[in-house]
Amino acid sequence: MTLYKNKTRKLYLIQIPRTGSTYASELIMTSCHAYEWEMMHRDISQYHHVPTTERGEPKTFWTCDEYKGIMIPALHYPLYNELEGVKDAEKLAIIRNPFERFKSAMRYHAVCYDIPAEELQLILEDKKSFKKYVDLLKNHIEFKRNFFRPQREFLSDDVRTYKVEDGLSENFINWMEEEFGIHLNDRDLGMGGALAVDIEPEEIDKKKGDYTLDFNEAIEANVKAYYKKDYEVLGY
């Protein structure tokens, strides 16, 4: 998502969507002055709101510049290594329990596209329709946002990972110092601290609160089957 660089080192934060990476990026940004970091590829500032009204199209959509069909802040491996200065940079990524990430991504998708909860419930509870629908999201409908791409596909061998369940406040700050020797500026960013995983535009956040999709045991089992390798690779 963002490359931080100065005269002696480079650090790249890979943004796996729906993991809390946006908050982590903001937290790292507060320390840029101390390390004389220049920021590159920070295209989150170019996000813009695209309202639509027709059924089958998102009512609210945040988009930005793309690279090979993927929004730049959400590039997976090896695409981000093709950006200037990234390949030889130190890399980190925030990871998340696959089921919790799926719930976050699916709620956002359902609200954006105005999909009735009852209709989506039936699709996600059935094994065959679940796979068919998530394949469609991953490869077509949500391709550019990378919401449903397995997390392991964002990671190269040189990426150091941090589990968002450990919190994005004191524990993350300590981890960054231990792993990278970087002391983050511990301040309140007004984004919810350790809970700032599912930050949304206000209108999306309000709609999500009213959405009644039940992520029951049947759906969780389908998620575990679909993202089986993520559970194994990420240690969940």
Side-chain angles (χ1 to χ4, degrees), residues 8-66:
T8 60
R9 71 187 304 188
K10 294 186 291 186
L11 177 69
Y12 185 71
L13 172 63
I14 298 162
Q15 179 170 333
I16 302 176
R18 319 312 297 175
T19 63
S21 299
T22 299
Y23 182 85
S25 175
E26 296 294 328
L27 194 57
I28 294 172
M29 235 188 5
T30 64
S31 304
C32 279
H33 178 72
Y35 293 93
E36 298 181 340
W37 274 339
E38 171 191 356
M39 291 185 294
M40 296 177 63
H41 312 308
R42 183 175 161 73
D43 292 85
I44 194 168
S45 62
Q46 299 178 28
Y47 272 53
H48 54 280
H49 181 228
V50 181
T52 60
T53 55
E54 295 181 16
R55 175 71 203 279
E57 294 294 332
K59 287 191 172 181
T60 304
F61 199 93
W62 292 82
T63 188
C64 66
D65 288 350
E66 299 173 11

Side-chain angles (χ1 to χ4, degrees), residues 143-154:
F143 176 78
K144 68 165 62 179
R145 290 196 287 186
N146 255 345
F147 273 18
F148 295 92
R149 181 178 294 276
Q151 293 176 75
R152 71 183 187 282
E153 295 183 9
F154 288 84

Side-chain angles (χ1 to χ4, degrees), residues 15 22 39 46 51 65 84 88 94 103-104 113 126 145 153 156 176 178 190 194 201 204 210 229:
Q15 179 170 333
T22 299
M39 291 185 294
Q46 299 178 28
D65 288 350
E84 179 185 353
D88 61 344
I94 310 298
K103 290 193 292 184
S104 172
Y113 285 83
D126 180 77
R145 290 196 287 186
E153 295 183 9
S156 56
M176 285 292 295
E178 292 171 2
I204 288 290
D210 298 330
K229 289 185 179 179

